[in-house]
Amino acid sequence: MYTKPFTTRRRPSQNKLKKTTAGSTKALLLAVITAFCTCLFSCTNGEVEPIVIWTDRPEFASYSELFNATHEAQTVVVYKENASRSIPPAKDETPPDLVIASWLKSSSTKKKFAPIENLFGERKINRDDLYENLVSYGSYSGTQYLLPVSFNLPAIIFEKKNSELVQNPHTITIDEIQTAAQNFNSKDTDGEYTTMGYAPSWDGEFMYLVSKIKGAHYRENDGSTFTFNADAVSDTVTYLSDWSSKANYGTAQEKNFKFKYLYMPKYSQFDTGRSLFTYMTSREFFSQENYTTNLSLCWISDGTSIPAEDDIVCLGKYKKARHPHTAEIFIEWLFSPETQSALLERTNTMKLDTHEFGIAGGFSSLKEVNSRLFPSYYRELLGNLPDENNITLPDVLPSRWLMFKDRVIIPYFEDASDTTVKEEKKKTLSDRLNDWTRQAF
């Protein structure tokens, strides 16, 4: 069985590139349905059943096509927006053999996935080829249940002409961001800001990152909610509020400046010359067209390490997989540097509308792929790849983490650090979490 290639509309404009477009997802679903029906027909004629892959990463439609063209074993890719929460499958649904998605690591991982330690023992995959801390991320009690596929890192972006304002060309701390941004500020004769280096209130995701750096330690609790370090969260609010007050004369000034000058997409904001920095993940930065024309990046660090983004893409072999042994053929193929080299070249050559950064939308978990191949495709990574020992990984997070972050945590920081809101009107993060839990459940 040979699946049809995944194609979508022409590349969208930059303001639509932050997330996979709805049109791309629909096209992927159509390709998946076509491939699945073809496989069902083939199986009724006595052919070997395909490996079923559930994923939330659109790139695997293209990856599957390349695998099918070069292997007797075949794959079918089924798009699952919430793959981690789709297990176990519905009563009449074909179960997956492999699940490749974010948010697979949870308290229920061992119940959902089969151990894959044998892949190391049989030397199908060389453990030393992978980032050691990523391998540890996928293990429980010394047993490997998940294999990380890709990850992303937080970065501060600036114009190359302003490189002299950044002390270290590779990493930058939040204190250094604040200092450089404040030094970039200027006002006109009426006291109105004409330039503002950066403001935390411009981006809730940046506020959330600051809380991670401050030690919030968000972690799954009882499988459905989360715990956190209350003192670190309080310190974050104080830090953000002081930044706004001391550097930019308050949240109102920051928001007014953004409304007047920074209403366009992040990449276009630099065209105004009004701001120094913007915050992006590696996926956002490298997924855009012309990202290397005049921009540079520094990885955001706590001074010693860089916190990886929460949505690490992992691979797991479903515990009730119908084709566990043939599924390992795909795993071995995917975790080969030669394969990932072919995938990078394929993505670059095909110019797909769903073009994303690197492997499965991020840095590869294979060290050699990042160090040897990525700089050829992404020039800003030449000499600018963090050492594996400097990358820290998130704690175990609930499968609903994106919902918690978007609807509870970020709104909390936006409100709690707002210098225009009276203290007595601000709710604690625990209060917001309790309110949301009552409404949602």
Side-chain angles (χ1 to χ4, degrees), residues 196 243-255 419-420:
M196 185 176 288
W243 182 336
S244 294
S245 299
K246 297 176 182 179
N248 303 324
Y249 285 89
T251 307
Q253 292 274 14
E254 294 174 343
K255 290 182 176 179
T419 60
T420 66

Side-chain angles (χ1 to χ4, degrees), residues 35-52:
F36 190 70
C37 291
T38 302
C39 282
L40 288 180
F41 175 81
S42 298
C43 294
T44 61
N45 286 277
E47 294 186 12
V48 178
E49 290 185 353
I51 305 162
V52 178

Side-chain angles (χ1 to χ4, degrees), residues 174 208-218 227-236 302 395 413:
I174 53 177
Y208 170 70
L209 173 64
V210 171
S211 74
K212 289 174 61 177
I213 290 175
K214 289 290 183 181
H217 291 304
Y218 304 106
T227 61
F228 56 90
N229 184 320
D231 290 338
V233 167
S234 178
D235 288 346
T236 300
D302 63 3
D395 286 322
F413 284 121

Side-chain angles (χ1 to χ4, degrees), residues 282-348:
S282 50
R283 177 182 297 163
E284 289 178 283
F285 181 72
F286 289 112
S287 293
Q288 307 287 342
E289 287 183 317
N290 303 319
Y291 63 84
T292 56
T293 53
N294 64 334
L295 301 177
S296 292
L297 83 165
C298 280
W299 307 115
I300 301 177
S301 165
D302 63 3
T304 57
S305 60
I306 302 166
E309 292 294 300
D310 299 329
D311 56 345
I312 297 171
V313 176
C314 290
L315 177 150
K317 186 168 67 174
Y318 184 47
K319 208 164 193 175
K320 297 182 180 180
R322 296 167 61 178
H323 315 99
H325 299 297
T326 50
E328 291 182 2
I329 297 174
F330 182 85
I331 299 175
E332 183 180 0
W333 173 82
L334 179 63
F335 283 87
S336 160
E338 291 74 22
T339 294
Q340 296 199 6
S341 175
L343 295 177
L344 287 168
E345 178 60 27
R346 178 181 175 83
T347 300
N348 184 62

Side-chain angles (χ1 to χ4, degrees), residues 168-270:
N168 185 324
H170 306 299
T171 62
I172 190 168
T173 66
I174 53 177
D175 288 342
E176 290 168 342
I177 294 172
Q178 180 180 351
T179 299
Q182 185 173 0
N183 292 337
F184 189 81
N185 289 357
S186 63
K187 295 181 178 180
D188 60 19
T189 54
D190 296 325
E192 295 292 327
Y193 278 102
T194 54
T195 62
M196 185 176 288
Y198 192 71
S201 65
W202 292 349
D203 196 329
E205 293 285 350
F206 180 80
M207 292 181 167
Y208 170 70
L209 173 64
V210 171
S211 74
K212 289 174 61 177
I213 290 175
K214 289 290 183 181
H217 291 304
Y218 304 106
R219 186 176 179 84
E220 180 189 52
N221 180 39
D222 298 328
S224 60
T225 184
F226 66 93
T227 61
F228 56 90
N229 184 320
D231 290 338
V233 167
S234 178
D235 288 346
T236 300
V237 171
T238 301
Y239 184 86
L240 295 172
S241 299
D242 288 348
W243 182 336
S244 294
S245 299
K246 297 176 182 179
N248 303 324
Y249 285 89
T251 307
Q253 292 274 14
E254 294 174 343
K255 290 182 176 179
N256 181 58
F257 185 89
K258 181 179 182 180
F259 177 79
K260 289 172 64 177
Y261 301 117
L262 305 178
Y263 48 83
M264 67 287 289
K266 287 183 177 180
Y267 269 76
S268 300
Q269 290 174 7
F270 292 107

